Amino acid sequence: MASCWWRWRRGCSWRPAARSPGPGSLGRAGLSGLRAAAAAAAAAASAQMSYFNLVKSLTSAFPNMYSISRFHHVTPAVCCCSKTRSGEKYTDPFNLGWRDLKGLYEDIRKELFISTTELKEMCEYYFDGKGKAFRPIIVVLMARACNIHHNNSRNVQASQRAIALIAEMIHTASLVHDDVIDDASSRRGKHTVNKIWGEKKAVLAGDLILSAASIALARIGNTTVVSILTQVIEDLVRGEFLQLGSKENENERFAHYLEKTFKKTASLIANSCKAVSVLGCPDPVVHEIAYQYGKNVGLAFQLIDDVLDFTSCSDRMGKPTSADLKLGLATGPVLCACQFPEMNAMIMRRFSSPGDVDRARQYVLQSDGVQQTTYLAQRYCREAVREISKLRPSPERDALIQLSEIVLTRDK
């Protein structure tokens, strides 16, 4: 695992990686390299689920993504996380992003101006400043990076900052609704809205947050941006429906999981990044770079979240671990542990029989499912780095590169 991680770190170059063949052109050498790297990362040469199946599932789920063999291109350069090519000193990405997010939660609460005391308390419950604000940070850093790339402007437009607020509001509304669907009892180290005020009121609170986000989006007055972000809301609903279903075929099952992961998590990050790029730069190439960065980081973020459900503790996460198994959900680590014959049967019955959750957890920990899922997240992050490295060097661009590393190394 260490050697694989070092190879990934060395790939954090500001110089774009050399172009390689497109999807479907993974040759014999590329496939053997992928298998060798996977074996090193997973430390389990006897794993019965080959990485060929993993790659096949990945490329079928996202046919427009570049060939997975690109993740094994190593650019011989020093990682740019400590210093930008322009010579400016690099600072922590969160400190850099917060320059444009001062008063973030106060401004969100202003958007949620509500006269009813109880409804006001419910809607403001998660906007207490204790969240990671990961999405707003990415959005404002992407806005600055795109503005600098376009015309060397170092200011974030008011409309771009508004996208950061809207992204956090959409995300929070989805959390409120998810907690109702999952009957969750804790979130961010405290009781959920549905546990305090009940399911019906929680649904209405989530709806109200979403409506306030929609009003803020309409005020921006850009129809292209409105179209981009309304796609997120559609994806959230479709992703939830995908989560309710499952596939019998192993390869289809993994593709199903990746599609669900994109719609429920990565779409918001990808489309928010695209929205601020549209507001700051007229070049469609830049819009695609922003979208691809957000998509890949978003997928990696959720894959690591699924790993932490097995490797972290409840106190650290601020919510119960093994929660997905208890909900009947087969995430990446589970799907990568299907060399145990009983696992497939448990997946199909959604871990509903007595002892299923505990047995499935043990199978995951005995297999290389956690390592394989982590390695897949590394590949997504490397693709994100490759995309964002196409922009002009800037502290914000390098902060986005650093954020991809933070996604991989976080423990909550």
Side-chain angles (χ1 to χ4, degrees), residues 312-347:
S312 190
C313 63
S314 298
D315 290 342
R316 190 70 180 158
M317 291 289 285
K319 57 185 177 181
T321 54
S322 298
D324 291 327
L325 286 175
K326 294 169 185 174
L327 292 170
L329 305 178
T331 57
V334 175
L335 296 175
C336 291
C338 286
Q339 65 262 39
F340 298 99
E342 191 182 0
M343 185 68 91
N344 282 295
M346 288 193 289
I347 290 172

Side-chain angles (χ1 to χ4, degrees), residues 60-194:
S60 63
F62 300 102
N64 294 325
M65 187 173 175
Y66 288 98
S67 169
I68 210 71
S69 63
R70 292 189 181 188
F71 287 97
H72 299 279
H73 173 87
V74 178
T75 305
V78 177
C79 180
C80 65
C81 298
S82 59
K83 204 173 198 182
T84 67
R85 295 295 296 187
S86 59
E88 296 178 71
K89 278 193 175 181
Y90 177 77
T91 58
D92 176 79
F94 286 91
N95 290 337
L96 201 59
W98 272 111
R99 293 184 310 176
D100 300 305
L101 293 174
K102 290 176 182 177
L104 169 70
Y105 294 107
E106 290 84 352
D107 290 343
I108 288 176
R109 286 194 287 270
K110 289 176 184 175
E111 295 288 347
L112 295 169
F113 183 75
I114 304 161
S115 57
T116 307
T117 302
E118 185 180 41
L119 192 55
K120 180 181 175 67
E121 287 179 4
M122 284 190 288
C123 291
E124 294 181 355
Y125 186 65
Y126 288 134
F127 298 117
D128 56 3
K130 295 180 181 178
K132 293 184 285 288
F134 181 72
R135 289 155 189 83
I137 292 288
I138 285 185
V139 170
V140 293
L141 290 175
M142 181 62 74
R144 278 184 178 270
C146 290
N147 294 351
I148 291 169
H149 178 83
H150 173 51
N151 59 11
N152 209 30
S153 170
R154 295 186 176 268
N155 296 319
V156 171
Q157 301 172 23
S159 58
Q160 290 175 315
R161 186 180 184 276
I163 297 296
L165 273 68
I166 291 164
E168 186 70 357
M169 293 168 75
I170 293 174
H171 171 59
T172 303
S174 73
L175 295 183
V176 174
H177 285 157
D178 278 356
D179 288 342
V180 173
I181 293 170
D182 300 340
D183 193 27
S185 59
S186 64
R187 166 84 62 182
R188 295 177 180 172
K190 59 184 184 180
H191 292 303
T192 55
V193 172
N194 49 293

Side-chain angles (χ1 to χ4, degrees), residues 1 9 55 113 370:
M1 188 69 182
R9 286 292 300 271
V55 174
F113 183 75
V370 165

Side-chain angles (χ1 to χ4, degrees), residues 38-39 42-51 336-337 339 367-369 372:
S46 60
Q48 294 179 24
M49 179 183 177
S50 72
Y51 265 83
C336 291
Q339 65 262 39
S367 74
D368 61 351
Q372 287 196 36

